[in-house]
Amino acid sequence: MSNSQVTAATKVISPEALANCITGWQKAKGRNDLPWQLHNDPYHVLVSELMLQQTQVKTVIPYFERWLQTFPTIEALASASEDEVMTLWQGLGYYRRARNLHAAAQKVVRDYQSEIPRSAAELKEIPGIGPYTVGAIRAFAFDAPAAIVDGNVKRLFARLFALPYEVNKSTNDRYFWQLAEHFTPARDNRRFAQGLLDLGATICKPQQPLCALCPLAKVCQALQLGKVNALPKRQQKKAIPTRKGHFLLDVSARGIVLEQRPASGIWPTLWCLPEVAQAPDAQLWTRFRHTFSHYKLDGHVWLATPPGNGTTRRIACHQLDEVGLPAPIRKLLQQLIASEVCNQQD
């Protein structure tokens, strides 16, 4: 984005006017009672921001509350085992976030005397913290003048300034960051940043935006040009491929054979039904489907004994809550337990 384009955006609304509008609306209409807002504790902000990546607020709230009950401090998280962390995270998906959060806590305890740093340069050195999270921590934990850009902010800016950039094309991100940095206020950025997110999530929604309730309606270029439904522009996504996965179910009264998955790949370090490359010569028990970001899994579950190796162990049915399981596998095993198969098998 050139200086002339930033200047054009400023003609739509000045940085001071936008800050006053957003902060005033946020105070009156925004979300002010989210659990991680109660104390603006840097650790709470770190946990919530990693949980909120690609996950809706309403889904995160109960996970966040359970997390703080188990790991009330960053020291408690840093000293936890990976199994404890992954077990508490299960169901949220994108499990790399949990491993990053665990590693972030360990680095903060080890290198920063358990105090999450304030500076952008130091925050960038912490695992799992990218540009958005750097800005979010600085804004929400420290009320510092730091820009944030996520899907809500890009959509809001695209409509407000009638921007031609496709919001899901990573090479266009720099345009939105330049605007965000230009409009970020020097004061009260905690409320301004929260207001941007709230306005995008509750008013300037992807579908059926509530323009009549928007405090920016009088200056919104998309609304004036009749392009609200045409913006933001999006690059057409490629069709997501489907691949088969073959999993083995070995169940007895002593429990179910599970395999701990490697640290790389899908469901890292979680416990799962053992997976094999080819369909075995066995009875098919059930099938399931699960969608990842880049492909759809067509899972086949076969009644078969997996080959023994150091990554498998038989876990009693009543102990399954003590290990981290991928959401679709947990659902299958819950169905299995409900059918009392565990008690019927020898």
XYZ file of all heavy atoms in Angstrom, residues 246-321:
613
model
N -6.612 -45.690 7.609
C -6.992 -47.008 8.132
C -6.497 -47.146 9.577
O -5.303 -47.032 9.857
C -6.399 -48.108 7.248
C -6.881 -48.048 5.831
N -8.146 -48.449 5.457
C -6.270 -47.602 4.692
C -8.295 -48.273 4.158
N -7.177 -47.758 3.680
N -7.443 -47.377 10.477
C -7.150 -47.453 11.904
C -7.580 -48.813 12.446
O -8.578 -49.395 11.974
C -7.881 -46.334 12.651
C -7.505 -44.956 12.182
C -8.149 -44.373 11.092
C -6.497 -44.237 12.807
C -7.801 -43.104 10.647
C -6.139 -42.970 12.374
C -6.786 -42.404 11.286
N -6.840 -49.322 13.416
C -7.092 -50.654 13.955
C -7.672 -50.569 15.359
O -7.160 -49.838 16.219
C -5.788 -51.462 13.988
C -5.011 -51.531 12.673
C -3.780 -52.414 12.836
C -5.894 -52.028 11.533
N -8.740 -51.333 15.581
C -9.379 -51.373 16.888
C -9.137 -52.744 17.516
O -9.586 -53.770 17.007
C -10.885 -51.121 16.759
C -11.699 -51.251 18.060
C -11.231 -50.239 19.096
C -13.198 -51.081 17.774
N -8.425 -52.748 18.630
C -8.154 -53.957 19.411
C -8.657 -53.680 20.816
O -8.031 -52.943 21.589
C -6.649 -54.247 19.412
C -6.298 -55.507 20.204
O -7.197 -56.055 20.887
O -5.132 -55.922 20.166
N -9.825 -54.254 21.153
C -10.475 -53.955 22.424
C -10.729 -55.237 23.201
O -11.042 -56.288 22.628
C -11.795 -53.184 22.195
C -12.755 -53.972 21.328
C -12.463 -52.815 23.516
N -10.557 -55.159 24.505
C -10.839 -56.285 25.385
C -11.301 -55.737 26.722
O -11.394 -54.514 26.906
C -9.577 -57.142 25.579
O -8.655 -56.481 26.424
N -11.559 -56.636 27.652
C -11.959 -56.201 28.988
C -10.846 -55.408 29.670
O -11.097 -54.660 30.617
C -12.338 -57.413 29.845
N -9.622 -55.565 29.193
C -8.492 -54.832 29.773
C -8.311 -53.453 29.150
O -7.488 -52.671 29.622
C -7.212 -55.653 29.606
C -7.212 -56.953 30.402
C -5.885 -57.698 30.255
N -5.696 -58.182 28.886
C -4.750 -57.750 28.057
N -3.906 -56.821 28.448
N -4.647 -58.257 26.835
N -9.069 -53.145 28.118
C -8.998 -51.815 27.530
C -8.786 -51.835 26.035
O -9.028 -52.840 25.355
N -8.307 -50.718 25.515
C -8.165 -50.503 24.080
C -6.708 -50.190 23.773
O -6.066 -49.414 24.488
C -9.056 -49.328 23.626
C -10.534 -49.631 23.945
C -8.874 -49.037 22.136
C -11.440 -48.430 23.781
N -6.198 -50.788 22.722
C -4.823 -50.507 22.309
C -4.788 -49.161 21.594
O -5.502 -48.939 20.602
C -4.275 -51.604 21.383
C -2.892 -51.208 20.858
C -4.199 -52.926 22.129
N -3.967 -48.244 22.118
C -3.798 -46.934 21.517
C -2.327 -46.702 21.198
O -1.444 -47.310 21.796
C -4.300 -45.831 22.458
C -5.797 -45.843 22.795
C -6.123 -44.708 23.749
C -6.646 -45.722 21.533
N -2.111 -45.804 20.266
C -0.763 -45.480 19.816
C -0.528 -43.986 19.983
O -1.376 -43.171 19.602
C -0.620 -45.870 18.344
C 0.686 -45.460 17.697
C 0.696 -45.831 16.219
O -0.189 -45.335 15.477
O 1.555 -46.615 15.808
N 0.608 -43.619 20.562
C 0.936 -42.198 20.657
C 1.543 -41.743 19.344
O 2.533 -42.286 18.869
C 1.903 -41.914 21.802
C 2.091 -40.414 22.042
C 2.829 -40.104 23.310
O 3.721 -40.844 23.710
N 2.473 -38.995 23.954
N 0.924 -40.740 18.747
C 1.348 -40.278 17.439
C 2.630 -39.454 17.561
O 2.928 -38.882 18.620
C 0.240 -39.468 16.769
C -1.033 -40.306 16.532
C -2.062 -39.511 15.758
N -1.616 -39.272 14.388
C -1.870 -40.084 13.362
N -2.539 -41.212 13.553
N -1.459 -39.790 12.153
N 3.385 -39.363 16.485
C 4.639 -38.594 16.525
C 4.389 -37.107 16.721
O 3.268 -36.619 16.564
C 5.272 -38.894 15.164
C 4.130 -39.289 14.287
C 3.150 -40.002 15.178
N 5.454 -36.394 17.033
C 5.347 -34.960 17.302
C 5.048 -34.143 16.057
O 4.604 -32.996 16.153
C 6.629 -34.456 17.957
N 5.281 -34.709 14.880
C 4.962 -34.011 13.634
C 3.766 -34.687 12.976
O 3.441 -35.824 13.286
C 6.167 -34.042 12.684
O 6.523 -35.383 12.380
N 3.114 -33.960 12.065
C 1.952 -34.524 11.391
C 0.663 -34.187 12.128
O 0.624 -33.344 13.023
N -0.423 -34.875 11.760
C -1.714 -34.593 12.378
C -1.767 -35.167 13.792
O -1.102 -36.142 14.106
C -2.874 -35.147 11.530
C -2.846 -36.681 11.487
C -2.855 -34.577 10.136
C -4.112 -37.300 10.906
N -2.558 -34.532 14.640
C -2.762 -34.948 16.030
C -1.427 -35.235 16.740
O -1.225 -36.300 17.328
C -3.658 -36.189 16.085
C -5.010 -35.995 15.478
C -5.770 -34.876 15.497
C -5.783 -36.974 14.771
N -6.962 -35.080 14.846
C -7.004 -36.363 14.389
C -5.569 -38.304 14.422
C -7.997 -37.045 13.681
C -6.563 -38.976 13.714
C -7.762 -38.352 13.356
N -0.480 -34.320 16.711
C 0.853 -34.577 17.271
C 0.819 -34.944 18.746
O 0.186 -34.263 19.551
C 1.595 -33.267 17.032
C 0.514 -32.236 16.917
C -0.628 -32.933 16.260
N 1.472 -36.044 19.085
C 1.670 -36.607 20.441
C 0.375 -37.056 21.111
O 0.410 -37.494 22.255
C 2.411 -35.618 21.373
O 1.550 -34.536 21.730
C 3.689 -35.109 20.738
N -0.764 -36.982 20.419
C -2.005 -37.485 21.009
C -2.053 -39.010 20.893
O -1.377 -39.623 20.074
C -3.223 -36.880 20.311
C -3.437 -35.373 20.483
C -4.738 -34.958 19.818
C -3.444 -34.970 21.949
N -2.896 -39.611 21.716
C -3.109 -41.062 21.676
C -4.262 -41.352 20.731
O -5.301 -40.694 20.765
C -3.384 -41.598 23.071
C -2.152 -41.545 23.928
C -1.727 -40.507 24.701
C -1.165 -42.576 24.060
N -0.531 -40.816 25.310
C -0.165 -42.086 24.938
C -1.021 -43.852 23.524
C 0.955 -42.826 25.293
C 0.088 -44.593 23.874
C 1.069 -44.087 24.750
N -4.067 -42.333 19.886
C -5.007 -42.588 18.796
C -5.065 -44.086 18.525
O -4.179 -44.849 18.925
C -4.525 -41.841 17.551
S -5.606 -41.965 16.102
N -6.118 -44.523 17.840
C -6.129 -45.892 17.339
C -4.945 -46.045 16.388
O -4.683 -45.144 15.579
C -7.438 -46.190 16.611
C -8.708 -46.195 17.463
C -9.929 -46.403 16.571
C -8.650 -47.265 18.540
N -4.210 -47.141 16.461
C -3.054 -47.327 15.563
C -3.471 -47.222 14.102
O -4.507 -47.759 13.693
C -2.577 -48.738 15.906
C -3.030 -48.950 17.318
C -4.348 -48.246 17.422
N -2.658 -46.498 13.320
C -2.958 -46.299 11.906
C -1.981 -47.104 11.059
O -0.796 -47.182 11.361
C -2.852 -44.819 11.546
C -3.274 -44.514 10.119
C -3.262 -43.029 9.797
O -2.799 -42.246 10.648
O -3.695 -42.666 8.688
N -2.514 -47.718 9.991
C -1.692 -48.488 9.062
C -1.878 -47.931 7.662
O -2.864 -47.249 7.373
C -2.051 -49.988 9.094
C -1.668 -50.596 10.443
C -3.546 -50.194 8.822
N -0.921 -48.235 6.796
C -0.926 -47.655 5.454
C -1.990 -48.254 4.546
O -2.571 -47.557 3.704
C 0.455 -47.822 4.819
N -2.263 -49.556 4.727
C -3.203 -50.241 3.841
C -4.320 -50.880 4.651
O -4.147 -51.205 5.837
C -2.477 -51.328 3.037
C -1.326 -50.807 2.182
C -1.795 -49.924 1.053
O -2.914 -50.084 0.547
N -0.956 -48.984 0.627
N -5.464 -51.078 3.999
C -6.576 -51.760 4.653
C -6.184 -53.199 4.977
O -5.687 -53.914 4.094
C -7.805 -51.736 3.757
N -6.369 -53.642 6.221
C -5.996 -55.018 6.577
C -7.072 -56.011 6.143
O -8.185 -55.626 5.751
C -5.900 -54.949 8.097
C -6.931 -53.926 8.468
C -6.901 -52.896 7.380
N -6.735 -57.282 6.204
C -7.704 -58.343 5.933
C -8.476 -58.580 7.222
O -8.170 -59.465 8.009
C -6.985 -59.618 5.491
C -7.963 -60.728 5.130
O -9.168 -60.427 4.990
O -7.526 -61.886 5.012
N -9.465 -57.735 7.470
C -10.186 -57.758 8.738
C -11.587 -57.198 8.543
O -11.936 -56.696 7.465
C -9.424 -56.937 9.777
N -12.376 -57.295 9.619
C -13.754 -56.802 9.577
C -13.776 -55.292 9.797
O -13.120 -54.775 10.703
C -14.586 -57.486 10.660
C -16.044 -57.013 10.702
C -16.808 -57.654 11.850
O -16.349 -58.623 12.454
N -17.986 -57.119 12.163
N -14.525 -54.598 8.954
C -14.678 -53.157 9.120
C -15.678 -52.887 10.234
O -16.819 -53.357 10.187
C -15.156 -52.516 7.818
C -15.361 -50.997 7.843
C -14.036 -50.276 8.035
C -16.051 -50.527 6.562
N -15.246 -52.140 11.259
C -16.147 -51.833 12.380
C -16.990 -50.596 12.100
O -18.200 -50.600 12.255
C -15.335 -51.643 13.661
C -16.194 -51.282 14.845
C -17.225 -52.019 15.354
C -16.121 -50.102 15.641
N -17.802 -51.371 16.431
C -17.130 -50.185 16.626
C -15.287 -48.983 15.627
C -17.337 -49.195 17.589
C -15.479 -47.993 16.587
C -16.500 -48.103 17.548
N -16.350 -49.514 11.660
C -17.093 -48.288 11.362
C -16.222 -47.373 10.513
O -15.049 -47.643 10.263
C -17.509 -47.561 12.658
O -18.440 -46.514 12.343
C -16.301 -46.940 13.353
N -16.818 -46.306 10.067
C -16.100 -45.266 9.330
C -16.408 -43.919 9.965
O -17.445 -43.741 10.612
C -16.516 -45.262 7.851
C -16.090 -46.488 7.074
C -16.652 -46.490 5.656
N -16.114 -45.389 4.855
C -16.413 -45.202 3.564
N -17.231 -46.046 2.940
N -15.890 -44.195 2.896
N -15.519 -42.971 9.761
C -15.760 -41.609 10.246
C -15.099 -40.621 9.293
O -14.191 -40.977 8.542
C -15.227 -41.418 11.670
C -13.724 -41.447 11.784
C -12.972 -40.269 11.730
C -13.044 -42.655 11.938
C -11.581 -40.298 11.830
C -11.652 -42.689 12.043
C -10.918 -41.506 11.990
N -15.554 -39.405 9.332
C -14.969 -38.345 8.516
C -14.523 -37.193 9.406
O -15.166 -36.884 10.405
C -15.965 -37.849 7.460
C -16.240 -38.865 6.366
C -17.167 -38.285 5.295
N -17.373 -39.216 4.197
C -16.589 -39.312 3.136
N -15.550 -38.506 3.019
N -16.847 -40.178 2.183
N -13.425 -36.586 9.023
C -12.909 -35.441 9.774
C -12.214 -34.505 8.800
O -11.485 -34.956 7.907
C -11.933 -35.896 10.860
C -11.488 -34.789 11.766
N -12.334 -34.216 12.689
C -10.292 -34.139 11.875
C -11.679 -33.279 13.347
N -10.446 -33.199 12.875
N -12.461 -33.205 8.949
C -11.893 -32.229 8.027
C -10.742 -31.478 8.682
O -10.901 -30.881 9.754
C -12.960 -31.220 7.560
O -14.011 -31.929 6.904
C -12.367 -30.211 6.594
N -9.589 -31.522 8.047
C -8.438 -30.716 8.449
C -8.385 -29.493 7.535
O -9.216 -29.337 6.638
C -7.148 -31.532 8.325
C -7.083 -32.702 9.263
C -7.425 -33.982 8.818
C -6.689 -32.540 10.580
C -7.380 -35.065 9.674
C -6.634 -33.620 11.443
C -6.978 -34.885 10.993
N -7.404 -28.634 7.760
C -7.333 -27.412 6.957
C -7.008 -27.696 5.492
O -7.427 -26.947 4.613
C -6.291 -26.452 7.538
O -5.017 -27.085 7.610
N -6.273 -28.783 5.214
C -5.825 -29.022 3.846
C -6.400 -30.292 3.210
O -6.169 -30.541 2.027
C -4.295 -29.088 3.790
C -3.649 -27.782 4.134
N -3.240 -27.477 5.414
C -3.377 -26.702 3.379
C -2.712 -26.256 5.414
N -2.788 -25.771 4.205
N -7.093 -31.098 3.961
C -7.717 -32.282 3.367
C -8.792 -32.844 4.291
O -8.885 -32.484 5.469
C -6.676 -33.364 3.043
C -6.066 -34.047 4.262
C -6.637 -35.206 4.781
C -4.910 -33.555 4.862
C -6.083 -35.843 5.885
C -4.352 -34.187 5.957
C -4.945 -35.335 6.467
O -4.404 -35.959 7.548
N -9.606 -33.721 3.718
C -10.640 -34.413 4.474
C -10.206 -35.858 4.686
O -9.717 -36.505 3.760
C -11.978 -34.370 3.729
C -12.538 -32.967 3.541
C -13.838 -32.991 2.754
C -14.382 -31.579 2.547
N -15.641 -31.590 1.745
N -10.380 -36.337 5.890
C -9.992 -37.705 6.221
C -11.214 -38.608 6.181
O -12.218 -38.344 6.848
C -9.363 -37.745 7.621
C -9.014 -39.122 8.173
C -7.943 -39.788 7.317
C -8.552 -39.013 9.621
N -11.123 -39.646 5.375
C -12.154 -40.688 5.324
C -11.607 -41.865 6.136
O -10.843 -42.696 5.629
C -12.421 -41.092 3.868
C -13.469 -42.187 3.743
O -14.164 -42.471 4.743
O -13.575 -42.780 2.653
N -11.957 -41.909 7.407
C -11.378 -42.893 8.305
C -12.123 -44.214 8.296
O -13.354 -44.253 8.381
N -11.371 -45.310 8.192
C -11.916 -46.656 8.265
C -11.342 -47.315 9.520
O -10.124 -47.302 9.724
C -11.500 -47.482 7.036
C -12.109 -46.998 5.747
N -11.859 -45.740 5.228
C -12.944 -47.621 4.870
C -12.526 -45.616 4.089
N -13.186 -46.734 3.849
N -12.206 -47.862 10.339
C -11.757 -48.507 11.573
C -11.993 -50.011 11.447
O -13.141 -50.465 11.274
C -12.503 -47.956 12.804
C -11.986 -48.622 14.083
C -12.334 -46.441 12.886
N -10.905 -50.782 11.548
C -10.945 -52.231 11.347
C -10.725 -52.953 12.671
O -9.913 -52.516 13.498
C -9.853 -52.661 10.366
C -9.910 -51.934 9.052
C -9.315 -50.753 8.727
C -10.621 -52.342 7.880
N -9.590 -50.398 7.431
C -10.390 -51.363 6.880
C -11.410 -53.456 7.560
C -10.933 -51.453 5.602
C -11.952 -53.546 6.276
C -11.709 -52.556 5.322
N -11.451 -54.054 12.859
C -11.259 -54.884 14.048
C -10.039 -55.771 13.799
O -10.123 -56.803 13.135
C -12.500 -55.738 14.316
C -13.782 -54.963 14.664
C -14.972 -55.913 14.784
C -13.592 -54.185 15.964
N -8.897 -55.347 14.323
C -7.653 -56.066 14.054
C -6.628 -55.744 15.133
O -6.690 -54.695 15.776
C -7.101 -55.685 12.682
N -5.698 -56.662 15.323
C -4.623 -56.476 16.297
C -3.473 -55.728 15.642
O -2.949 -56.169 14.616
C -4.118 -57.831 16.812
O -5.211 -58.537 17.418
C -3.004 -57.637 17.832
N -3.071 -54.604 16.188
C -1.975 -53.840 15.588
C -0.632 -54.494 15.862
O -0.474 -55.232 16.842
C -2.067 -52.487 16.296
C -2.687 -52.803 17.614
C -3.638 -53.936 17.369
N 0.334 -54.236 15.015
C 1.678 -54.759 15.278
C 2.258 -54.101 16.524
O 2.070 -52.902 16.755
C 2.457 -54.354 14.022
C 1.701 -53.184 13.454
C 0.272 -53.440 13.777
N 2.912 -54.868 17.351
C 3.461 -54.335 18.589
C 4.666 -53.447 18.326
O 5.519 -53.772 17.511
N 4.697 -52.311 18.991
C 5.881 -51.436 18.928
C 5.908 -50.572 20.179
O 5.005 -50.605 21.000
C 5.883 -50.571 17.649
C 4.633 -49.700 17.543
O 4.329 -48.928 18.442
N 3.908 -49.831 16.438
N 6.929 -49.785 20.305
C 7.107 -49.022 21.533
C 6.170 -47.858 21.718
O 6.180 -47.222 22.767
N 5.345 -47.567 20.707
C 4.450 -46.410 20.823
C 3.019 -46.801 21.164
O 2.154 -45.941 21.236
C 4.445 -45.611 19.507
O 3.922 -46.441 18.456
C 5.833 -45.135 19.146
N 2.741 -48.100 21.348
C 1.379 -48.541 21.662
C 1.293 -49.058 23.085
O 2.270 -49.567 23.637
C 0.917 -49.651 20.697
O 1.791 -50.783 20.834
C 0.918 -49.172 19.262
N 0.113 -48.919 23.661
C -0.163 -49.544 24.958
C -1.664 -49.684 25.111
O -2.448 -48.937 24.514
C 0.438 -48.749 26.118
C -0.136 -47.373 26.384
C 0.658 -46.716 27.514
N 0.299 -45.341 27.782
C -0.534 -44.940 28.741
N -1.110 -45.833 29.526
N -0.793 -43.652 28.921
N -2.064 -50.659 25.911
C -3.484 -50.893 26.152
C -3.925 -50.030 27.334
O -3.338 -50.096 28.424
C -3.753 -52.368 26.431
C -5.262 -52.716 26.412
C -5.479 -54.214 26.613
N -4.944 -54.997 25.506
C -5.615 -55.254 24.383
N -6.837 -54.758 24.217
N -5.068 -55.989 23.436
N -4.944 -49.232 27.117
C -5.429 -48.310 28.131
C -6.838 -48.713 28.536
O -7.710 -48.914 27.683
C -5.418 -46.859 27.614
C -3.974 -46.456 27.265
C -6.003 -45.905 28.640
C -3.860 -45.070 26.665
N -7.051 -48.858 29.834
C -8.366 -49.239 30.349
C -9.412 -48.202 29.945
O -9.121 -47.000 29.882
C -8.312 -49.376 31.869
N -10.616 -48.676 29.691
C -11.662 -47.766 29.227
C -11.918 -46.637 30.218
O -12.163 -45.492 29.824
C -12.956 -48.545 28.965
S -12.848 -49.686 27.562
N -11.849 -46.958 31.516
C -12.132 -45.922 32.509
C -10.989 -44.923 32.663
O -11.123 -43.920 33.367
C -12.449 -46.560 33.870
C -11.268 -47.229 34.513
N -10.918 -48.540 34.237
C -10.351 -46.764 35.398
C -9.846 -48.848 34.945
N -9.480 -47.795 35.648
N -9.870 -45.157 31.986
C -8.730 -44.243 32.062
C -8.566 -43.386 30.803
O -7.628 -42.604 30.710
C -7.438 -45.045 32.295
C -7.372 -45.723 33.653
C -6.079 -46.502 33.835
O -5.597 -47.135 32.892
N -5.514 -46.435 35.032
N -9.492 -43.499 29.864
C -9.354 -42.757 28.615
C -9.415 -41.254 28.827
O -8.849 -40.487 28.049
C -10.442 -43.187 27.628
C -10.299 -44.612 27.069
C -11.485 -44.962 26.189
C -8.991 -44.758 26.291
N -10.100 -40.797 29.882
C -10.169 -39.364 30.162
C -8.832 -38.803 30.620
O -8.660 -37.589 30.706
C -11.231 -39.072 31.223
C -12.642 -39.225 30.683
O -12.813 -39.157 29.458
O -13.566 -39.403 31.492
